[in-house]
């Protein structure tokens, strides 16, 4: 059976020692965030994750969701009880505003907790995950009346939320969408059309489901300029604000899919359902983007979370599985063979996943902290600078951590040999579950195009230049420190590759846009490697300082951190050069074959 232990200590190291979140006590919601309180929250979250959510992960995968004749959907055994505990613990509203029943704590803490929960049971955590995205969109674009009507029940998890973009003929290109909205004359609309692949679209864990639906108002322009966003509740609210009459929305089918079996992926039919406009007519896409940006960070975190649980299982298996002898002589002479963890190739696998996970955790929390600053600081300058980095990092975090999350789930499965392919060990589930994170919330190829096509040039390249300067300054400031020079040298080399690739795009992509498309995925990964390298250099600096200051309690942990930092710098970061070379070859060969020749 699979195992999972939430990485509480590593998360605390990043939050307290590397990012120093206590320093942000002036931000709303941060005042009480002391190391003790952070440890208490993470400890409780770990308990819920390990003891409640994790034990029903594998059974949830095997059982899946069931749709009944009447269109209702039942989630796997144990999910409702576990969701109730999650809801009652106030976890859904941890970072939501207090005026709607949330706790107003940092989004950074919410993200830290989210990793534990998602690693334990990604399918189950998608129900509240989508609710959080819907809450964010209503908070930013909803009317006061809509906020009062929907948010308190969504924040406490009594009602869940969904996002409805995709239609059978329309996925990435939302300009093609056909779902219609006809005005009723009383401010509401009749919504008709079909949405597919709707996560958490129907289930039996909540009293109501609040669908956020993209549709085109009659007479609106074609393309993305004619799309509006609507709230379509499963049950319309009665005079007292409680779920009343059933609305004209139903689940026509649930998809039979590769993974996340515990999450109901639904075909949703809208048959003159009553909907209420959120925000301005024809500005639905920007309202939905609030939700999608939040969701993209959460999906990046899903990639990390699955890679972490897969890693823990692979490491445990490698310590126990006896096979072959160490190249440098027997390590377990009393046994007929050594545990496979003695083999360098198994070490390569485990160290690679570990280095990405610990770096990815720092990357995720650093980005989440930027989100807190961007949304909560009272200084306009601070908000702007943080928002620049947040916008730039969103496609990188989503794309890199989910591409790697899947690769690393496969690598962890490989450590099990044939046993990884057998369902009962759980490794197959991790591979299957991790795969979707590369696809939804904008397939990763689209994240790469967003980075190269929009984010790089945003505000005249202000964000990218600020980040290059921050990383460059870090290398410069620590250049003379003998203990850190190995890390900063490698990081500087990676930064040089990134700057050269960025310059190449500037010179070669404007005149020939295919060059941008051809290099975009490599660029996203090149950028991700440098940011991970920056996280590793900062973690190494902190670990060196703590050890030099005589910290004994965590000495082993800190020494292991430094070994992993060196591994990242030596064996992973140099990939930046290969990525740069690929980018600089441009699009010519890639585009040369006739379509019919493929
Ligand atoms: C399990 C699951 C859950 C989902 N949950 C939801 C949900 O809750 N709500 C929702 O609305 N949707 C949901 N989706 C849909 C998901 O977001 C889409 O599948 C995804 O956005 C891709 O759209 P598509 O499948 O139509 O692929 P397409 O848009 O047809 O794309 C196919 C491929 O072409 C690439 N491509 C497309 N256009 C371009 C371009 N211009 N340049 C370069 N490459 C391009 C894409 O990257 C992709 O690799 C879910 C999907 C699944 C499978």
């Amino acid at each position: 059976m699979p195992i999972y232990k939430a990485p509480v200590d590593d998360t605390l190291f990043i939050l307290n020692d590397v990012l120093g979140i206590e320093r942000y006590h002036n931000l709303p919601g941060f005042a009480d965030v002391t190391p003790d309180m952070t440890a208490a929250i993470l400890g409780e979250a770990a308990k819920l994750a390990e003891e409640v959510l994790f034990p029903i992960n594998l059974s949830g995968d095997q059982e899946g969701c069931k749709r009944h004749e009447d269109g209702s959907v039942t989630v796997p055994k144990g999910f409702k009880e576990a969701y109730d505990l999650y809801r009652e613990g106030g976890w859904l509203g941890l970072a939501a505003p207090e005026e709607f029943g949330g706790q107003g704590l940092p989004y950074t803490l919410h993200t830290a907790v989210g990793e534990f929960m998602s690693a334990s049971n990604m399918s189950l955590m998608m129900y509240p995950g989508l609710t959080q995205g819907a809450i964010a969109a209503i908070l930013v674009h909803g009317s006061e009346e809509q906020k009062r009507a929907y948010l308190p029940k969504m924040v406490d998890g009594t009602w869940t939320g969904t996002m409805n973009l995709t239609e059978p003929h329309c996925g990435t290109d939302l300009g093609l969408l056909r779902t219609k909205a006809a005005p009723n004359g009383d401010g509401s609309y009749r919504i008709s059309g079909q949405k597919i692949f709707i996560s958490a679209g129907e289930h039996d864990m909540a009293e109501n489901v609040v669908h956020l639906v993209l549709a085109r108002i009659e007479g609106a322009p074609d393309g993305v300029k004619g799309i509006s966003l609507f709230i379509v509740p499963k049950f319309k609210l009665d005079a007292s604000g409680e779920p009343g009459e059933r609305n004209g929305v139903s689940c026509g089918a649930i998809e039979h899919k590769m993974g996340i079996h515990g999450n109901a992926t639904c075909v949703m039919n809208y048959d003159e359902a009553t909907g209420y406009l959120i925000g301005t007519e024809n500005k639905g896409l920007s309202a939905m983007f609030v939700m999608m940006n939040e969701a993209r960070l959460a999906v990046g975190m899903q990639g990390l979370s699955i890679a972490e649980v897969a890693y823990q299982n692979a490491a445990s298996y490698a310590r126990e599985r006896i096979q072959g002898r160490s190249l440098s002589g027997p390590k377990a002479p009393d046994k007929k063979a050594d545990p496979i963890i003695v083999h360098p190739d198994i070490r390569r696998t485990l160290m690679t996943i570990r280095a990405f996970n610990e770096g990815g955790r720092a990357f995720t929390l650093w980005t989440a902290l930027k989100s807190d600053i961007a949304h909560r600081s009272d200084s306009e300058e601070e908000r702007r600078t943080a928002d620049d980095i947040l916008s730039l990092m969103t496609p990188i975090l989503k794309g890199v951590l989910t591409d790697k999350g899947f690769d690393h789930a496969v690598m962890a499965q490989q450590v099990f040999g044939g046993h990884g392919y057998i369902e009962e060990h759980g490794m197959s589930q991790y591979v299957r579950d991790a795969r979707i994170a590369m696809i939804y919330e904008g397939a990763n190829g689209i994240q790469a195009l967003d980075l190269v096509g929009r984010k790089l040039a945003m505000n005249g390249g202000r964000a990218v230049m600020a980040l290059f300067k921050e990383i460059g300054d870090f290398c410069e400031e620590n250049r003379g420190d003998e203990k850190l020079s190995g890390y900063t040298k490698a990081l500087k080399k990676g930064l040089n590759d990134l700057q050269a690739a960025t310059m190449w795009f500037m010179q070669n992509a404007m005149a020939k846009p295919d060059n941008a498309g051809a290099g975009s995925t490599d660029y996203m990964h090149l950028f991700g490697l440098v940011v991970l390298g920056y996280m590793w250099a900062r973690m190494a600096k902190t670990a060196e300082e703590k050890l030099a200051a005589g910290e004994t309690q965590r000495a082993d942990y800190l020494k292991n951190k430094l070994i992993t930092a060196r591994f990242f710098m030596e064996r992973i970061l140099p990939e930046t050069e290969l990525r740069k070379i690929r980018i600089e070859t441009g699009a010519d060969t890639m585009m040369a074959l006739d379509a019919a020749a493929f």
Side-chain angles (χ1 to χ4, degrees), residues 163 165-166 171-172 197-199 265 436 439-441 443 446 449:
M163 55 194 291
L165 293 78
T166 309
T172 304
F197 300 163
I198 304 308
S199 300
T265 308
I436 187 58
I439 299 171
Y440 59 22
E441 286 314 327
I446 302 303
L449 284 178

Side-chain angles (χ1 to χ4, degrees), residues 117-261:
M117 307 281 185
S118 173
S120 300
N121 198 322
M122 175 170 154
S123 293
L124 177 50
M125 281 305 105
M126 284 176 64
Y127 296 91
L130 282 146
T131 310
Q132 271 141 1
I135 290 170
I138 297 175
L139 264 175
V140 176
H141 290 283
S143 66
E144 284 310 311
E145 196 188 339
Q146 287 169 339
K147 288 181 197 172
R148 279 197 307 277
Y150 293 99
L151 290 182
K153 297 282 178 123
M154 294 172 80
V155 166
D156 79 9
T158 316
W159 302 347
T160 59
T162 67
M163 55 194 291
N164 289 238
L165 293 78
T166 309
E167 298 178 8
H169 61 287
C170 148
T172 304
D173 187 356
L174 290 169
L176 301 172
L177 79 78
R178 290 185 193 140
T179 298
K180 283 199 180 69
N184 281 327
D186 60 356
S188 69
Y189 291 79
R190 294 186 307 284
I191 311 289
S192 302
Q194 189 179 66
K195 297 287 179 179
I196 61 165
F197 300 163
I198 304 308
S199 300
E202 176 64 47
H203 59 90
D204 56 346
M205 297 194 296
E207 289 174 7
N208 207 354
V209 182
V210 181
H211 301 290
L212 262 54
V213 183
L214 284 183
R216 199 180 294 283
I217 297 174
E218 281 177 347
D222 285 342
V224 289
K225 293 206 169 97
I227 299 174
S228 303
L229 181 64
F230 297 88
I231 295 179
V232 184
K234 175 178 164 184
F235 292 102
K236 291 191 250 183
L237 307 190
D238 65 18
S240 61
E242 292 300 321
E245 190 193 334
R246 181 74 202 239
N247 206 349
V249 48
S250 59
C251 167
I254 52 177
E255 308 289 353
H256 298 281
K257 56 189 192 287
M258 177 175 172
I260 51 164
H261 291 154

